[in-house]
Amino acid sequence: MKRAVFVDRDNTIILNDGYIGDPAGVVLLPHVAAGLMQLKKEGFMLISVSNQAGVAHGMFTEEDVDRVNAEMCRQLEHASGVTIDKCYSCYFHDKPKTQDPELLKKYWIPNHPDRKPNPGMLKKAAAEFGLDLDQCWMIGDSLKDVEAGQAVGCRTILLSDPSITASPDSKKGSENTRPDFETDS
């Protein structure tokens, strides 16, 4: 069985103070490339798992998310040679900010199993790559990330960097949620 580190994308790998649908806006956070390279050297797969509700809200498309992910991966590889093994994105939302009937029909799915804090993306990756979830980690800037990791038995790390404007959902989650570790960088 393989082991992996699941990493949230926004404000964990790249800077994002809202919604990002343009690859030109991709900025790696300091020290991320080196940290991810160290995890690779330790034998971990790297898997990005990210809620991308901007698609449900009609702000950008699935293809835009793919382009942002590709640019993030390109920058990581350029900075340190590190590669992300796969990017999973959840486009669904319980309350889309759109009136477009086509978007509502496609993306308005309350409590979708892939939308963190639900662990659907982690489960899909475990099945696809034969991961031992007890040997995996989840790193993110939100209690939703912690909850998703804990739901499948991963150890968790919560990033709370005061120099980064927190994303709107970063503090949402159960008040009883406690990560295994918390760090500011």
Side-chain angles (χ1 to χ4, degrees):
M1 297 291 278
K2 298 176 188 173
R3 58 191 187 146
V5 176
F6 298 102
V7 187
D8 178 54
R9 188 189 82 179
D10 298 333
N11 289 340
T12 304
I13 300 175
I14 64 173
L15 184 62
N16 183 5
D17 60 1
Y19 293 95
I20 183 169
D22 181 354
V26 173
V27 176
L28 292 179
L29 290 170
H31 313 294
V32 168
L36 293 178
M37 178 51 72
Q38 186 61 41
L39 291 170
K40 275 285 197 180
K41 287 180 181 177
E42 296 294 326
F44 286 95
M45 294 182 71
L46 298 175
I47 300 171
S48 171
V49 289
S50 183
N51 288 345
Q52 291 299 314
V55 174
H57 299 324
M59 301 167 92
F60 43 81
T61 67
E62 291 182 30
E63 293 76 17
D64 293 331
V65 172
D66 291 342
R67 285 190 285 275
V68 167
N69 289 341
E71 177 60 16
M72 171 188 72
C73 291
R74 187 197 68 74
Q75 288 186 27
L76 284 168
E77 191 163 0
H78 178 75
S80 67
V82 72
T83 57
I84 299 289
D85 292 288
K86 184 148 185 186
C87 294
Y88 291 87
S89 299
C90 178
Y91 311 115
F92 305 99
H93 199 274
D94 294 352
K95 299 172 188 164
K97 299 172 186 170
T98 181
Q99 298 304 313
D100 183 322
E102 288 184 34
L103 289 175
L104 288 170
K105 183 178 178 181
K106 186 171 183 179
Y107 298 113
W108 179 45
I109 301 177
N111 202 32
H112 191 280
D114 287 350
R115 183 163 176 77
K116 295 179 290 180
N118 296 324
M121 291 184 283
L122 286 71
K123 288 180 177 180
K124 285 179 181 178
E128 182 174 346
F129 293 107
L131 301 175
D132 179 354
L133 290 168
D134 291 337
Q135 298 299 310
C136 294
W137 290 80
M138 176 70 215
I139 302 173
D141 70 321
S142 168
L143 293 174
K144 288 181 177 186
D145 300 318
V146 172
E147 290 174 1
Q150 290 175 341
V152 293
C154 293
R155 287 168 284 176
T156 60
I157 299 172
L158 179 65
L159 299 179
S160 301
D161 187 337
S163 69
I164 297 173
T165 302
S167 59
D169 285 346
S170 66
K171 298 303 176 202
K172 290 183 180 174
S174 170
E175 63 186 46
N176 299 321
T177 300
R178 300 286 180 264
D180 294 296
F181 299 95
E182 189 166 353
T183 184
D184 62 2
S185 61

